[in-house]
Amino acid sequence: MMNVLLLGATGMVGQSVLRECLLDPAITQVYTWGRSPVSVTHAKLHSFVQKDLTNLDPLQDVLPEIDACFFCLGVSSAGMNEEQYRAVTYDLTMQFARELVRLQPNLTFLYVTGASTDSTEQGRVMWARVKGKTENELLKLPFKAAYMFRPGGIIPKNGVRSKTGWVQAIYTVTRPLFPLLEKAFPNSITTSVQIGRAMINAARHGYPQPIVEVKDIRKLADA
């Protein structure tokens, strides 16, 4: 049985994780933490709305009961320079994670990054460097366990939608190709259901390695 904390519940990955958590009978309580409320209701769902995501005071009473944190919050780097992207992707994530581990170190922290993240922090692709630094610093924190999820292409299922208009437009146009793409690129593409199930199973059972690539996501989804 697990109680979980979820950030980014209104994004595409967050929606996927939230849906699977609410369906999973072994997850007893789901706490969402974000700047806007979620659009669903459920008996085991508790939505916290907080502008300053690094101020965890409203969670003080529930944090001791949290077994896993699913950090699905993120933004596209499109139109951003490195300083702007780092402020959201690295600075905010690390401020939150450092405060969380101070208050509740005995939990599993699962962070959604992306395929091709640069663990060396030295590559030419800006977003990959920033994501790589974020991964590396998260793995240094004294959580019970931490896993960095690197999904590639994501096929949305069960009504899951992207908040980004142009991304959702692409999904709408390419929807007839989803079954073909899923079969043709098994090591590059996962479904929203697989990501949700994989994150839950990693939190519940662990995984032999902290970096979780697409092939690992598919394996974990069936665990």
Side-chain angles (χ1 to χ4, degrees), residues 40-193:
V40 299
T41 58
H42 194 281
K44 62 183 179 182
L45 175 61
H46 311 273
S47 179
F48 287 83
V49 178
Q50 173 82 346
K51 288 188 176 181
D52 180 3
L53 298 182
T54 65
N55 178 9
L56 303 186
D57 288 347
L59 293 174
Q60 292 279 357
D61 292 339
V62 301
L63 281 179
E65 304 172 1
I66 300 296
D67 302 294
C69 175
F70 299 114
F71 196 102
C72 305
L73 185 67
V75 296
S76 168
S77 62
M80 287 187 172
N81 60 35
E82 185 160 351
E83 181 180 0
Q84 293 168 327
Y85 186 68
R86 177 189 170 102
V88 178
T89 301
Y90 176 80
D91 295 342
L92 174 61
T93 302
M94 293 310 303
Q95 289 171 22
F96 171 84
R98 287 170 180 146
E99 180 66 4
L100 181 65
V101 78
R102 182 182 72 82
L103 296 171
Q104 170 53 311
N106 193 33
L107 60 72
T108 299
F109 191 89
L110 302 98
Y111 177 66
V112 177
T113 61
S116 302
T117 291
D118 179 12
S119 297
T120 72
E121 306 177 31
Q122 302 299 315
R124 298 178 62 182
V125 180
M126 179 272 286
W127 74 263
R129 289 196 310 271
V130 176
K131 286 282 195 180
K133 181 174 179 60
T134 307
E135 283 187 356
N136 292 339
E137 294 303 314
L138 286 173
L139 290 172
K140 295 177 184 177
L141 296 179
F143 286 111
K144 175 183 175 181
Y147 300 99
M148 308 294 109
F149 273 69
R150 295 181 174 182
I154 302 171
I155 294 177
K157 302 279 189 178
N158 303 308
V160 168
R161 295 175 61 85
S162 173
K163 290 173 62 178
T164 306
W166 64 268
V167 173
Q168 183 56 43
I170 292 174
Y171 278 127
T172 300
V173 171
T174 59
R175 186 173 300 278
L177 300 176
F178 285 173
L180 177 62
L181 293 172
E182 191 174 351
K183 291 180 180 179
F185 302 101
N187 293 323
S188 301
I189 292 177
T190 56
T191 70
S192 59
V193 173

Side-chain angles (χ1 to χ4, degrees), residues 6 9-10 14-15 17-20 22 30 32 36-47 158-160:
L6 171 60
T10 60
Q15 291 173 50
V17 176
L18 176 59
R19 181 181 185 276
E20 297 307 315
L22 295 179
V30 180
T32 61
S36 56
V38 296
S39 60
V40 299
T41 58
H42 194 281
K44 62 183 179 182
L45 175 61
H46 311 273
S47 179
N158 303 308
V160 168

